[in-house]
Amino acid sequence: FSRYPTMAVGYLTASLRQAGISVGVLSPLAHGVPGVAREPEETLLVDLGRRVNYLLAQAPGEPLRALRRGVEHLRGRQERRRLDDISRLFLAHGTGRYDVVLVSAYLMYDGVCEAIGRACRDAGIPMIVGGSYFADSEVAGSWLSIPGLTALIGGEVELEIAAIVQAVVEGDELTGFAGVWLPGGRGRPRPPLRDLDLVAFPDYSDFPWHRYPHRIVPVLSGRGCGWGACTFCSDITSSAGRTFRTRSPDNVLEELAFQSRRHDARAFVFTDLKLNSAPGTLDG
């Protein structure tokens, strides 16, 4: 992320540390790997580029279409270099001082996870990969062949992540944990987490605050969507989107005060799928 810390990593870090487990966070941004701005600033140059791209895509002649393909190829190479930088960063960081490696990933990072998995396999260190879309058994199944993979997590496991990590380190069986998929296809979906107030506040202390343009703290007041029925929306089928659950207003306000004191921050971004799914929470 390029504008504020990664919430999923903050939640996992807090849950593990609450259980007395030592955690080291490797943030690519802290080592010079740029993040991706989801909504880049609208400038005249960006607008011009969009118009030229559209004209080239609609051009009748092959030379102009070939030019557009060439531009796309160059952009793709730049993206691949960024992914390669993340892989090299992990390899340079070394694995010798860790008992287990946890990777939080979007689906486009399959290549990065494969590189990290090979390094973990060679070092004899278990690797767990997690992400919201591994809640889908078909998606999870396509990732289970990643080299070095010990387990794939697709569920809201904050309350059990410490037990899962402990079991992996001790070599215990993981089939008892819902939302954990194992090589070979074993696993079962995890029901949504109901009482969100039980989850520890995310720990963002390891993120490179000096590299962000503003001190913005991400906050989630509820998970899922109060509608949860739109056919164009893929978020509602992910692990966090299944059904809607809200935190209490007091719990949200307590986190705002906590994060503000801890990070000297006054700006917050709510990343809820739909912020007014629970009007009472929003009013509070």
Side-chain angles (χ1 to χ4, degrees), residues 81-246:
R81 277 200 302 270
R82 190 176 66 86
L83 299 180
D84 290 342
D85 286 343
I86 298 175
S87 302
R88 283 193 293 268
L89 170 62
F90 176 81
L91 297 177
H93 198 72
T95 55
R97 54 199 175 109
Y98 299 109
D99 298 304
V100 60
V101 169
L102 278 66
V103 184
S104 176
Y106 287 122
L107 299 185
M108 65 181 179
Y109 291 107
D110 54 345
V112 175
C113 291
E114 289 175 1
I116 294 175
R118 284 191 291 269
C120 290
R121 179 192 59 194
D122 295 343
I125 299 173
M127 177 184 72
I128 302 174
V129 176
S132 62
Y133 255 92
F134 302 130
D136 185 302
S137 59
E138 184 176 351
V139 175
S142 67
W143 276 62
L144 291 176
S145 60
I146 286 181
L149 181 72
T150 301
L152 195 67
I153 294 183
E156 299 169 324
V157 296
E158 290 96 327
L159 300 183
E160 283 194 311
I161 185 62
I164 293 172
V165 166
Q166 195 69 37
V168 168
V169 172
E170 295 177 358
D172 294 338
E173 184 60 57
L174 297 177
T175 53
F177 297 102
V180 177
W181 307 95
L182 304 175
R186 292 172 296 163
R188 65 185 191 278
R190 186 179 187 88
L193 180 60
R194 291 296 175 184
D195 192 348
L196 301 183
D197 286 5
L198 296 178
V199 180
F201 298 151
D203 186 342
Y204 301 126
S205 58
D206 301 87
F207 285 87
W209 286 96
H210 62 287
R211 291 188 178 270
Y212 295 110
H214 306 285
R215 282 185 171 267
I216 303 174
V217 177
V219 181
L220 196 63
S221 72
R223 300 185 183 184
C225 173
W227 289 329
C230 299
T231 56
F232 62 80
C233 179
S234 60
D235 282 323
I236 60 175
T237 60
S238 69
S239 61
R242 290 174 296 161
T243 74
F244 172 72
R245 293 127 308 132
T246 185

Side-chain angles (χ1 to χ4, degrees), residues 26-78:
L26 180 60
S27 167
L29 184 65
H31 298 270
V33 181
V36 177
R38 294 193 178 200
E39 293 85 24
E41 182 181 358
E42 287 294 327
T43 64
L44 290 176
L45 190 60
V46 169
D47 181 61
L48 178 62
R50 187 182 295 115
R51 292 173 184 272
V52 170
N53 180 65
Y54 175 79
L55 292 175
L56 290 176
Q58 300 298 318
E62 175 60 25
L64 289 178
R65 287 201 293 266
L67 174 61
R68 183 175 183 269
R69 289 196 297 270
V71 172
E72 288 299 312
H73 177 70
L74 291 175
R75 292 178 63 184
R77 286 181 59 186
Q78 182 180 9

Side-chain angles (χ1 to χ4, degrees), residues 221 225-227 244 272-283:
S221 72
C225 173
W227 289 329
F244 172 72
D272 297 52
L273 293 182
K274 189 167 83 72
L275 189 56
N276 62 346
S277 288
T281 299
L282 181 61
D283 291 345

